[in-house]
């Protein structure tokens, strides 16, 4: 099916093929979700636009006040990048815990976002960091949208037919962060629930400000204000007390009151938050 | 005893290098001139009448044929039958117009390429007239919706030894447990695949990674109504089976297509097809009650088993009885009743799967054994030691003798090596807020072939050539276990010829001698290995005899070494080849032998498995920190291959304990239809299994060997569950103990 495969060499070519893009044309970056979905749906007649050859979509640019991550940067590249680890530790951790090594070699951050799976591992991190998505259309025009607005539902985003994501922009900060997930087994597993916490630290290892997003308990990651409030003033060296455990359970109850899985998730999320905090302790050597 | 040169050595499998470097040709790699590709269309509904409009699909360029129910012979068969003497209930067709499970075969599309075939499949218009499905044993028992004729009950039988009711009266305690085991996917890395073509001799050749070539031959001949001797099954290189490729699934269909089209046809499946459209381990519900006295002796036991047989009869009776019979061969129980029932459901049919009933039977009964020990306030190992069978034990059901049973030794040696007592006493001290630690163990038993239940013999032809090389023709199937290497070691030892000079066939029904039951039932090393040893012994005697006659040497003066034969009082050396040539020249006879070897016995193999676990009380995830398998194996022909079997068997067993299950919803949809949703124990979760072999000679096995491959997958699962229950003080009897099951138990207990 080589004639159905196009790898534009420059932006002009890319704009041209985006202009002609129809229902059966798909953008491929890593392909780790796309190919499986096409196979699952039994779709045989399709066209592929491969954007993974664009060097400018594959770079991570550290500017003075922000970090620009190309949409085709892979999980392995994120995981191994020391600067990412320094500025966005949760992203390192999320990238590292996604799929298998083979998948991480191919899977991209742009793809993870556009696929908009309920269980997407980098998505809660992008939400917690209030990341902006840079989007280009077939007329070579750009628009920006908050990642949390860009994802609208399970598998749904605001991306229009002739658009692609070119990069994701995250503001630099002094915040510390961590990511944790729980699947059916420890590794190479899809998140049943995942979590990103982003914290501003105060005196004596106390949390001054917390942003917590929980994934896979809604159509997209949900901001978890109850847990956030409870964590303010929390001394990181401590374990979770009963009051906190109750709040975590209430947060899950509120998120998925009618789902059978809530009974498990209410308990498991205590472990999830504990794992996430323990990662922060590790990073801060507490 | 003479020191052995080959047996007992960890020799590298001859197929390792080609497999590791990707040179090996599997069926999926095969190409033939004008070969066609074929793919099955599997039902998406669990119970429905099917109409298919193929008109648009037929227009796809390169499509040769699309077959549905109306095109195929209406010959019913039971794919689990492996020789003509078994008359099972025959209810399968190669293609169906009523689907009885999600994954049932409803059409076959044949075309010039995989793309063509898949394009045509996407253009088929399939109309499902849905019927109410029967999912799970509870619904099957109600008989409200009936899948077959009068009832969903597919099979029912009991086994009685002694008098359980009397035992109950004498009991100080009766301990009852009810548990379930899941449908398990075999997860061989090679999906099912099969090639059919005509050869230059006019045979319809089925080239297939199978376990029983004669079984394939029988079903193909039957369905197509052609003579058995015109169907040639060639066992191909296999990328794993674990029982999944034991009964023919693709073979009759691809044979039909090749026969109709007179072209080579390759039928392939993808992972989802294999998970939903082949067979699985049978799910069970098991209720066990055990009567004991306060001294810790089991007086009697009653085990009621309900087996989910799936949509077709297949192995409903065999697996139920295989499960039941094993329960009489582990503990000395004077009064025991087994009641087995199998039911039809609108789910994947049951099929052979490594361990065949043993993993299910021992799963729940071994948890029950731990519960008895707990009730009696005894150490579970000590309690087992009071009740396990002794050497020379008889099977009270009248089945073949249990033999040189070393299970008590397995337990004792394991306790010592695992530091059981101390760990059991102290491990809980490690437990803290979030994590609970525990140790547990379990025992299991399995057989060595079919003797006592079905015909168990094999024919073997063995010949030494003029160049000292030997060929052994036998109808075995290497399933990836290193069977050929193992058998070569036996042949080399018996003949005293270097292993490199020996070649052994795999099954080819046009060429290899008859074998009664194929590579299943843990019979190959024991029975086929025994046959090779017997043939080798006779052939070597013939060679020595020829040497004596040719050279006029008294037999007591003859010695052999590495393919040389000589008179110990002479310096003259002769190769085996010299004698073969001279013997042919002077006596007009070849240096060969053919024999039919009947299995002399069917003893039990045993194992004890010890495990340490760490349970996350929040997430319900379990780490297996340490484990030890102690196997009563008689003798290891190749210890490295034995270790491979035990490591792999444990991986399968741990999967059954923690993750593996076919998730089927109330409509019959298979939720776990890919490896992203069907989790097996992966490398990061798999601990290294420590292994101890008890090698105390099985008197009827070749060089003292008995089985290990299936045995290895029996005890690990209950050992893990027992360890979890010890850690949490719970009574989990549900396999697998998924995170949800564990957290639910914790919530119930309010820990």
């Amino acid at each position: 099916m080589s004639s159905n495969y196009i790898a534009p060499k420059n932006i002009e070519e890319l704009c041209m093929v985006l202009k002609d893009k129809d229902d059966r044309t798909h953008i491929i970056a890593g392909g780790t979700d796309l190919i499986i979905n096409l196979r699952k749906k039994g779709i045989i007649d399709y066209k592929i636009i491969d954007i993974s050859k664009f060097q400018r979509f594959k770079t991570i640019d550290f500017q003075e006040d922000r970090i620009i991550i190309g949409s085709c940067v892979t999980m392995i590249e994120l995981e191994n990048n020391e600067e990412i680890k320094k500025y966005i530790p949760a992203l390192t951790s999320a990238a590292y815990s996604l799929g298998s090594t083979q998948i991480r070699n191919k899977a991209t951050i742009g793809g993870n976002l556009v696929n908009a799976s309920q269980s997407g591992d980098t998505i809660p991190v992008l939400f917690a960091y209030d990341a902006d998505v840079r989007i280009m259309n077939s007329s070579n025009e750009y628009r920006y949208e908050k990642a949390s607005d860009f994802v609208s539902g399970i598998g749904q985003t605001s991306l229009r037919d002739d658009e692609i994501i070119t990069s994701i922009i995250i503001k630099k900060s002094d915040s510390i962060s961590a990511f944790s997930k729980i699947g059916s087994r420890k590794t190479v597993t899809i998140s049943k629930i995942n979590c990103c916490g982003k914290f501003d630290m105060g005196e004596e290892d106390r949390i001054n400000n917390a942003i917590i997003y929980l994934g896979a308990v809604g159509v997209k990651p949900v901001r978890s204000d109850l847990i956030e409030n409870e964590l303010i003033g929390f001394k990181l060296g401590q374990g979770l007390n009963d009051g906190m455990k109750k709040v975590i359970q209430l947060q899950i109850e509120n998120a998925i009151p009618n789902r059978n899985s809530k009974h498990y998730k209410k308990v498991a999320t205590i472990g999830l938050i504990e794992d996430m905090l323990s990662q922060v302790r590790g990073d801060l050597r507490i | 005893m003479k020191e052995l040169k080959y047996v007992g050595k960890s020799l590298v499998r001859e197929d390792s290098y080609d497999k590791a470097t990707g040179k090996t040709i599997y069926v999926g790699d095969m190409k033939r001139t004008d070969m066609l590709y074929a793919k099955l269309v599997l039902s998406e509904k669990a119970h429905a009448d099917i109409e298919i409009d193929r008109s648009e699909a037929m227009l796809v360029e390169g499509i040769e044929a699309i077959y549905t129910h109306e095109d195929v012979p209406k010959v019913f068969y039971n794919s689990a039958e492996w020789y003509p003497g078994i008359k099972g209930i025959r209810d399968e067709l190669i293609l169906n117009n009523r689907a009885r499970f999600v994954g049932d075969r409803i059409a076959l599309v044949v075309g010039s390429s995989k793309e063509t075939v898949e394009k045509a499949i996407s253009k088929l218009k399939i109309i499902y007239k849905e019927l109410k499905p029967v999912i799970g044993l509870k619904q099957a028992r109600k008989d409200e919706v009936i899948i077959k004729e009068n009832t969903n009950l597919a099979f029912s039988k009991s086994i009685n030894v002694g008098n359980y009711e009397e035992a109950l009266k004498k009991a100080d305690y009766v301990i009852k447990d009810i548990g379930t085991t899941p449908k398990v996917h075999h997860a061989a890395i090679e999906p099912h695949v099969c090639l059919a073509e005509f050869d230059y001799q006019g045979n319809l050749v089925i080239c297939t990674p199978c376990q029983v070539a004669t079984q394939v031959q029988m079903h193909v001949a039957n369905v197509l109504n052609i003579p058995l001797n015109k169907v040639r099954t060639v066992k191909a290189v296999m990328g794993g089976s674990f029982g999944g490729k034991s009964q023919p699934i693709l073979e009759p269909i691809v044979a039909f297509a090749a026969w109709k089209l007179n072209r080579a046809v390759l039928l392939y499946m993808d992972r989802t097809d294999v998970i939903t459209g082949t067979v699985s381990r049978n799910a069970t519900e098991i209720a066990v009650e055990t009567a004991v006295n306060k001294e810790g002796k089991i007086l009697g036991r009653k085990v009621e088993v309900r087996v989910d047989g799936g949509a077709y009869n297949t192995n409903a009776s065999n697996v139920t009885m295989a499960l039941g019979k094993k329960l009489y061969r582990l503990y000395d129980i004077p009064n025991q009743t087994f009641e087995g029932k199998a039911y039809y459901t609108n789910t994947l049919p049951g099929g052979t799967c490594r361990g065949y009933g043993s993993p299910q039977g021992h799963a729940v009964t071994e948890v029950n054994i731990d519960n008895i020990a707990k009730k009696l306030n005894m150490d579970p190992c000590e309690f087992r030691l009071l009740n396990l069978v002794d050497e020379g034990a008889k099977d009270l059901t009248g089945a073949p003798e249990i033999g040189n049973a070393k299970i008590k030794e397995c337990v004792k040696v394991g306790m010592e090596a695992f530091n059981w007592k101390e760990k059991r006493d102290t491990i809980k001290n490690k437990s803290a807020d979030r994590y609970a630690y525990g140790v547990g163990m379990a025992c299991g038993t399995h057989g060595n072939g079919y003797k006592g239940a079905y015909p168990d013999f094999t024919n073997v032809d063995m010949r030494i050539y003029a160049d000292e090389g030997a060929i052994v023709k036998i109808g075995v199937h290497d399933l990836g276990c290193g069977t050929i290497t193992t058998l070569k070691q036996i042949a080399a030892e018996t003949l005293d010829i270097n292993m490199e000079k020996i070649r052994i066939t795999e099954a080819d029904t046009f060429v290899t001698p008859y074998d009664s039951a194929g590579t299943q039932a843990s019979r190959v090393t024991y029975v086929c290995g025994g046959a090779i040893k017997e043939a080798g012994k006779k052939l070597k005697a013939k060679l020595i005899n020829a040497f004596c006659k040719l050279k006029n040497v008294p037999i007591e003066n003859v010695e052999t070494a590495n393919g040389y034969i000589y008179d110990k009082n002479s310096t003259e050396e002769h190769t085996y080849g010299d004698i073969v040539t001279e013997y042919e020249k002077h006596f007009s006879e070849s240096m060969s032998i053919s024999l039919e070897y009947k299995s002399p016995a069917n003893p039990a193999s045993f194992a004890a498995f010890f495990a340490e676990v760490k349970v996350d009380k929040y997430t319900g995830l379990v780490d297996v920190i340490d484990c030890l398998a102690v196997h009563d194996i008689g003798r290891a022909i190749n210890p490295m291959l034995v270790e491979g079997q035990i490591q792999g068997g444990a991986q399968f067993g741990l999967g059954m304990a923690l993750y593996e299950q076919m998730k089927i919803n109330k409509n019959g949809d298979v939720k776990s239809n890919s490896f992203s949703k069907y989790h097996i124990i992966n490398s990061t979760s798999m601990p290294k299994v420590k292994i101890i072999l008890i090698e105390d000679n099985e008197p009827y096995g070749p060089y003292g060997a008995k089985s290990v491959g299936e045995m290895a997958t029996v005890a690990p699962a209950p050992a893990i569950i027992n360890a979890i229950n010890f850690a949490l003080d719970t009574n989990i009897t549900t396999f697998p103990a998924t995170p949800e099951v564990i957290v639910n138990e914790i919530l119930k207990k309010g820990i």
Side-chain angles (χ1 to χ4, degrees):
Chain A
M1 256 179 259
S2 53
S3 60
N4 290 331
Y5 171 88
I6 311 155
K9 284 181 217 62
N10 50 49
I11 289 296
E12 291 71 38
E13 273 183 38
L14 175 60
C15 287
M16 220 160 69
V17 294
L18 284 176
K19 214 163 252 154
D20 294 339
K21 185 168 168 277
D22 56 18
D23 283 351
R24 55 186 209 97
T25 307
H26 305 273
I27 311 280
I28 195 167
T32 53
D33 286 312
L34 177 69
I35 299 296
I36 287 163
N37 286 336
L38 290 171
R39 283 182 58 90
K40 209 183 270 174
K41 290 177 189 155
I43 298 171
I44 316 256
D45 288 321
Y46 56 81
K47 275 200 214 166
I48 291 284
I49 301 172
D50 186 353
I51 58 166
S52 69
K53 307 282 189 273
F54 275 85
Q55 201 48 44
R56 52 186 280 199
F57 298 162
K58 290 166 70 75
T59 53
I60 308 175
D61 186 9
F62 294 90
Q63 299 187 344
E64 198 178 330
D65 58 338
R66 55 193 193 153
I67 302 163
I68 302 171
I69 304 171
S71 57
C72 294
V73 169
T74 63
M75 294 300 138
I76 283 280
E77 287 161 350
L78 288 172
E79 178 189 327
N80 291 336
N81 190 298
E82 286 300 320
E83 296 283 296
I84 292 284
K85 169 88 185 141
K86 185 174 151 198
Y87 290 108
I88 326 169
L91 189 57
T92 306
S93 171
Y96 172 73
S97 63
L98 183 147
S100 62
T101 308
Q102 294 92 322
I103 291 289
R104 294 200 296 276
N105 279 334
K106 297 299 287 179
T108 64
I109 189 166
N112 200 229
L113 190 60
V114 173
N115 194 50
S117 158
Q118 214 182 353
S119 311
D121 283 329
T122 64
I123 302 173
V125 181
L126 300 182
F127 282 22
Y129 274 86
D130 199 23
D132 287 308
V133 186
R134 185 169 182 259
I135 299 155
M136 184 195 109
N137 69 12
S138 60
S139 309
N140 200 10
E141 294 160 349
Y142 292 84
R143 68 182 177 94
Y144 295 83
E145 195 171 6
K146 294 276 175 223
S148 52
D149 296 329
F150 177 77
V151 177
S152 51
I154 299 174
Q156 289 174 343
T157 66
S158 70
L159 199 70
R160 294 174 201 125
D161 269 350
D162 73 331
E163 290 181 328
I164 60 160
I165 299 184
T166 61
S167 58
I168 287 150
I169 301 154
I170 292 171
K171 285 177 275 306
K172 273 187 183 171
S173 71
D174 295 329
S175 304
I176 182 101
S177 69
F179 170 86
S180 57
K181 78 187 257 185
I182 292 166
S184 297
R185 67 180 166 201
K186 292 232 160 155
T187 59
V188 197
T189 188
I190 295 167
S191 291
K192 278 180 196 168
I193 180 161
N194 60 22
C195 165
C196 177
K198 177 169 171 270
F199 307 103
D200 296 326
M201 301 303 297
E203 300 287 298
E204 297 175 314
D205 298 324
R206 281 182 198 282
I207 293 172
N208 264 358
N209 190 27
I211 296 172
I212 305 281
Y213 273 90
L214 290 171
V217 288
V219 295
K220 59 180 180 176
V222 291
R223 180 100 186 242
S224 307
D225 52 332
L226 296 177
I227 301 175
E228 287 175 3
N229 290 338
E230 197 67 22
L231 282 173
I232 291 170
F234 179 77
K235 208 170 167 189
L236 261 183
Q238 301 166 331
L240 295 175
N241 59 35
D242 286 349
M244 264 172 183
K245 291 178 188 173
K246 281 210 179 80
V247 165
I248 290 168
Q249 301 208 331
L250 185 59
Q251 188 87 61
I252 298 297
E253 178 68 40
N254 291 350
I256 44 169
N258 302 317
R259 296 270 292 277
N260 270 336
S261 61
K262 73 175 179 184
H263 303 290
Y264 172 73
K265 288 185 176 178
K266 280 163 84 168
V267 181
T269 306
I270 299 170
L272 181 82
I273 300 287
E274 181 56 42
D275 284 345
M276 189 261 297
L277 291 174
S278 128
Q279 225 176 78
V280 178
R281 284 181 205 122
D283 284 348
L284 296 177
R285 298 174 198 284
I286 295 167
Chain B
M1 196 175 155
K2 226 173 81 184
E3 204 195 320
L4 299 176
K5 290 180 186 168
Y6 304 98
V7 166
K9 303 277 190 295
S10 288
L11 302 172
V12 175
R13 279 163 52 170
E14 59 174 11
D15 55 349
S16 307
Y17 302 105
D18 282 358
K19 281 184 174 164
T21 54
K23 283 182 186 155
T24 306
I25 303 289
Y26 293 85
V27 174
D29 304 317
M30 288 179 175
K31 298 243 171 2
R32 297 285 189 266
T33 310
D34 285 339
M35 185 178 86
L36 298 168
Y37 289 88
K39 199 166 195 278
L40 283 162
V41 180
L42 304 178
S43 174
E44 290 174 3
K45 301 291 174 194
H47 203 189
D49 286 323
I50 309 285
E51 275 174 34
I52 298 177
D53 175 1
R54 53 190 151 181
S55 50
E56 204 184 323
M58 279 304 291
L59 298 176
V60 173
E61 202 185 320
I63 286 299
E64 284 291 326
I66 297 173
Y67 298 116
T68 65
H69 174 78
E70 57 199 52
D71 307 303
V72 300
K74 305 294 176 292
V75 178
F76 285 98
Y77 61 101
N78 181 331
S79 59
E81 295 170 8
W82 68 86
Y83 81 104
I86 302 185
K87 294 272 184 275
I89 291 169
R90 295 176 178 171
D91 57 1
E92 293 167 69
L93 286 172
I94 61 180
L95 294 171
N96 298 289
N97 61 353
R98 171 173 288 185
R100 292 186 176 82
F101 65 100
V102 170
D104 209 349
R105 305 182 292 263
I106 57 174
L108 181 77
V109 178
V110 190
S112 56
S113 69
K114 290 185 179 177
E115 287 77 16
T116 303
V117 164
E118 277 167 44
K119 193 168 179 183
I121 290 174
S122 73
K123 296 201 184 294
L124 282 175
K125 289 198 181 68
I126 304 168
I127 299 157
Y128 294 96
K129 287 185 199 146
E130 285 192 67
L131 304 160
K132 211 164 173 262
V134 178
I135 308 300
L137 283 162
K138 202 169 152 191
Q139 224 182 333
R141 278 201 301 280
K142 283 187 193 159
D143 264 346
E144 285 169 5
V145 176
I146 292 171
I147 302 169
K148 295 288 163 61
E149 282 146 22
N150 309 312
T151 169
N152 292 323
L153 184 67
F155 175 78
S156 173
K157 201 169 176 177
S158 55
I159 306 172
N160 266 300
V161 160
N163 187 332
Y164 174 68
E165 296 304 322
E166 285 300 313
L168 262 186
K169 288 181 197 157
K170 292 182 198 138
D172 293 313
Y173 303 104
V174 179
I175 290 88
K176 300 181 183 183
D177 284 295
I178 295 175
T180 59
T181 68
K183 280 183 188 267
V184 169
H185 168 57
H186 304 79
I189 202 67
E190 177 198 40
H192 285 55
V193 62
C194 188
L195 171 71
E197 62 183 329
F198 283 94
D199 69 9
Y200 70 95
Q201 290 152 310
N203 289 306
L204 177 54
V205 184
I206 324 294
C207 191
T208 171
C210 66
Q211 291 187 222
V212 195
T214 49
Q215 184 175 0
V216 172
Q217 180 191 35
M218 180 180 82
H219 288 295
V220 169
N222 173 43
V223 168
L224 299 183
N225 193 23
I226 54 179
L228 281 164
N229 64 11
K230 292 207 138 186
V231 179
R232 177 180 184 181
T233 311
V234 179
K235 189 267 168 188
V237 178
M238 175 183 269
S241 175
F242 311 107
K245 291 167 185 156
S246 194
Q247 58 206 57
I249 294 160
L250 305 186
E251 291 91 338
I253 309 161
V254 72
F256 165 77
W259 180 68
K260 267 290 226 207
L261 298 165
N262 198 14
R263 297 262 294 270
V265 180
L266 186 133
L267 174 51
Y268 66 99
M269 279 187 148
D270 59 23
R271 179 60 53 186
T272 296
D273 288 354
V274 180
I275 293 178
T276 62
T278 61
V279 290
S280 75
R281 188 189 293 291
N282 292 82
T284 62
E285 279 177 18
I286 297 179
V288 48
E289 52 176 79
T290 309
V292 290
N293 66 20
K294 54 182 187 304
E295 287 76 35
K297 190 75 193 120
I298 300 176
L299 305 176
R301 183 161 78 173
K302 184 163 127 188
V303 184
E304 291 172 281
V305 175
R306 290 164 182 152
V307 174
D308 186 337
Y312 294 98
N313 193 275
T314 61
N315 63 347
S317 59
N318 290 345
V319 76
T320 308
M321 293 312 286
L323 190 166
K325 287 175 179 177
K326 298 294 180 297
L327 300 174
Y328 293 80
R329 294 170 76 82
L330 183 58
Y331 296 99
D332 174 25
I333 304 176
N335 305 288
Q336 185 167 206
T337 294
F338 165 79
E339 284 171 15
K341 288 187 166 70
Y343 293 87
Y344 294 112
T345 62
N346 288 115
T347 62
L348 188 68
T352 46
C353 185
R354 192 177 193 177
Y356 203 59
S358 290
Q360 297 100 312
H362 290 97
V364 182
T365 53
E366 280 299 289
V367 174
N368 179 250
I369 293 282
D370 259 41
N371 284 334
I372 302 167
K374 191 173 170 184
K375 180 83 189 172
L376 294 170
N377 208 12
M378 283 179 78
D379 179 279
C381 288
E382 299 291 356
F383 175 71
R384 283 179 173 85
L385 286 171
L386 283 179
N387 291 284
L388 286 162
V389 290
D390 280 309
E391 290 160 33
K394 303 263 186 289
D395 184 320
L396 299 178
T397 68
E401 291 187 9
I402 292 166
N404 186 20
K406 289 286 168 186
I407 180 61
K408 285 189 175 175
E409 199 174 334
C410 290
V411 173
K412 285 180 202 157
V413 167
M415 284 172 79
E416 190 69 31
F418 197 70
N419 197 11
W420 169 262
K421 287 265 182 191
E422 194 189 319
K423 274 194 179 150
R424 188 84 176 177
D425 287 344
T426 59
I427 187 127
K428 283 193 171 181
N429 301 341
K430 273 176 36 182
S431 300
D433 191 31
R434 179 167 177 181
Y435 296 103
Y437 291 80
V439 287
M441 63 85 65
C443 297
T445 183
H446 201 68
N448 280 271
Y450 277 129
K451 189 184 163 65
Y454 300 102
D456 199 352
F457 62 90
T458 198
N459 292 68
V460 56
D461 295 346
M462 193 181 281
R463 170 180 303 277
I464 303 174
Y465 287 117
D467 65 356
E468 288 98 64
I471 187 155
V472 183
K473 291 190 182 172
I474 190 165
V476 297
H477 314 68
D478 195 325
L479 311 183
C481 317
T483 296
I484 292 295
T485 304
T486 304
L487 296 180
K488 272 189 180 180
Q489 286 177 258
I490 293 171
E493 194 69 60
T494 327
L495 292 171
D496 203 351
I497 295 182
N498 283 334
M499 255 177 80
E500 296 73 36
K501 296 210 161 189
I502 292 172
R503 301 205 68 207
I504 298 185
T505 57
E506 289 192 62
D508 175 337
T509 59
F510 198 53
V511 175
T512 52
Y514 187 73
D515 173 68
S516 72
T519 300
Q520 53 182 358
S522 286
R523 65 183 284 275
V524 174
T525 302
Y526 191 75
V527 181
C528 301
I532 288 176
K533 191 185 172 205
E534 183 74 12
K537 209 170 88 185
K538 292 203 162 135
L539 185 56
K540 191 159 166 217
K542 187 173 177 178
L543 180 84
I544 290 172
N545 202 29
F547 177 75
C548 294
K549 282 209 275 192
L550 285 164
K551 306 292 173 193
N552 232 341
V553 178
I555 196 159
E556 58 273 17
N557 287 3
V558 180
E559 284 189 355
T560 62
N562 304 327
Y564 286 89
I565 185 161
Y566 48 91
D567 175 351
K568 66 179 177 190
N569 299 324
S570 153
T571 52
E572 210 178 321
E573 268 193 347
H574 304 273
T575 66
Y576 284 8
D578 296 341
I579 302 306
V580 169
T581 306
E582 285 183 49
Y583 190 58
E584 183 172 354
K585 193 171 167 185
H586 296 292
F587 290 93
S588 190
E589 225 179 286
S590 76
M591 196 49 66
S592 67
I593 190 143
S594 295
L595 60 80
E596 183 163 282
Y597 177 84
K598 284 187 191 171
S599 180
N602 187 353
S605 293
F606 294 95
F609 195 89
F610 296 79
E612 178 179 340
V613 300
K614 175 185 174 192
V615 187
D616 185 331
K617 289 194 278 180
Y618 292 141
T619 66
L621 288 163
V622 175
D623 280 335
V624 180
I625 297 170
D626 190 15
C627 52
L628 168 71
V630 190
H631 276 248
D632 168 19
I633 185 175
R635 164 158 221 148
I637 303 289
N638 183 321
M640 177 167 61
L641 295 180
V642 168
E643 180 180 344
Q645 289 303 304
I646 295 171
Q647 299 281 356
Q651 188 269 352
F652 210 0
L654 264 54
M656 178 177 163
L658 298 175
Y659 306 142
E660 292 195 42
Q661 60 179 329
M662 303 265 299
K663 287 186 196 140
I664 299 173
N665 73 10
K666 63 182 189 333
N667 301 322
D669 302 326
V670 181
K671 294 306 197 185
S672 52
N673 64 0
S674 71
F675 277 148
S676 67
K677 298 198 182 102
Y678 185 94
H679 277 353
I680 61 172
I681 301 276
N682 59 5
S683 58
T684 51
S685 315
M686 184 66 205
K688 172 141 178 83
V689 182
K690 294 172 185 154
I691 293 166
I692 297 174
L693 302 179
I694 306 291
E695 295 185 88
D696 191 55
N697 188 44
E698 154 52 35
Y700 298 101
Y703 295 100
K706 54 184 176 179
S707 72
V708 66
E710 294 194 87
M711 181 63 253
T713 203
V714 178
I720 299 296
I721 300 295
N722 283 337
I724 295 171
N725 281 334
F726 182 66
L728 298 173
D729 200 20
T730 49
N731 185 22
I732 294 171
T733 51
T734 304
F735 291 75
T738 59
E740 283 81 359
V741 167
I742 287 173
V743 166
N744 191 36
E745 285 292 320
I746 290 171
L747 286 174
K748 268 199 324 209
K749 281 187 63 90
I751 320 174

